[in-house]
Amino acid sequence: GRGGAQAHLRSKIEELEKEAAREQSRLRQVEGELRCQKAHVKDMELKQGSAESSISSLKLEIEQLQESLQNVRSQALQQAKEKDDLVAQLQLTRLRVKQMESAAEELEVQKLGLSRERDDVAATLHRKVTEFHQRFASLGDAQQALSMQLRQRSKQDEAE
């Protein structure tokens, strides 16, 4: 009976060792995915940075256009005989300002989307890695417990 119990414990330990090896290779695979995802996050951060600098230059351009809009308004008051031409110029400038503002809003929305995507990816990766570490810890505990039982049985056999 005891030899059979020991053989059973040994095969249980071998099973655990095989499972640990499988989990080890899964962990390596997840670590590879993690490296890819980190590169993806870096790429998104670069895109976000370039979106931010585009937004800044658009805001600057909008300010310049608004100044030019002010100038055009004062000229329109001073020069009544050129009024029609200036009104047309004013409308074009207003249109351009609106276009710039909507382009800036669009970039702002893209920037938010990139931030959210980056945060989601980071959270998912953190969760995966944590799960794998927990799995490994519990496999190690089970293997230790079985090894201890095997040692106790061996001691009992020697005692008898």
Side-chain angles (χ1 to χ4, degrees):
R2 259 186 216 91
Q6 273 189 321
H8 175 71
L9 274 176
R10 277 197 197 96
S11 80
K12 199 81 176 124
I13 287 171
E14 280 170 20
E15 269 177 52
L16 278 169
E17 285 169 347
K18 284 177 191 166
E19 192 175 344
R22 282 193 298 272
E23 290 294 335
Q24 195 77 46
S25 85
R26 281 276 297 133
L27 181 62
R28 278 193 292 275
Q29 184 184 340
V30 164
E31 285 168 345
E33 289 171 14
L34 181 65
R35 280 190 295 276
C36 286
Q37 294 287 21
K38 278 181 180 168
H40 181 54
V41 167
K42 265 274 183 290
D43 184 48
M44 285 190 294
E45 286 170 346
L46 287 173
K47 283 181 185 161
Q48 185 178 341
S50 98
E52 282 169 350
S53 76
S54 295
I55 287 169
S56 297
S57 69
L58 279 174
K59 282 179 178 167
L60 194 66
E61 210 173 325
I62 287 169
E63 282 170 18
Q64 290 166 350
L65 283 167
Q66 284 170 336
E67 273 177 36
S68 133
L69 190 61
Q70 287 302 107
N71 296 338
V72 169
R73 280 189 185 133
S74 65
Q75 283 176 356
L77 292 173
Q78 291 165 12
Q79 306 167 344
K81 56 182 177 283
E82 293 173 21
K83 186 178 170 221
D84 294 341
D85 294 343
L86 288 171
V87 167
Q89 192 183 338
L90 189 64
Q91 287 171 340
L92 280 175
T93 307
R94 278 196 186 122
L95 180 66
R96 187 82 178 111
V97 168
K98 281 200 176 84
Q99 290 169 345
M100 290 295 190
E101 286 171 341
S102 68
E105 283 167 10
E106 205 173 292
L107 280 167
E108 201 68 64
V109 168
Q110 286 175 12
K111 187 182 108 179
L112 284 174
L114 285 170
S115 290
R116 246 180 264 120
E117 191 180 340
R118 185 192 60 213
D119 294 347
D120 292 351
V121 167
T124 301
L125 290 173
H126 178 71
R127 187 174 40 76
K128 277 188 183 178
V129 168
T130 304
E131 283 170 12
F132 271 92
H133 287 308
Q134 287 169 349
R135 279 237 213 93
F136 262 103
S138 64
L139 274 174
D141 292 348
Q143 193 175 354
Q144 271 186 327
L146 284 170
S147 296
M148 204 179 294
Q149 282 181 14
L150 188 59
R151 279 198 296 280
Q152 286 172 348
R153 290 259 171 88
S154 297
K155 284 179 188 169
Q156 285 172 5
D157 289 356
E158 284 169 20
E160 289 170 22

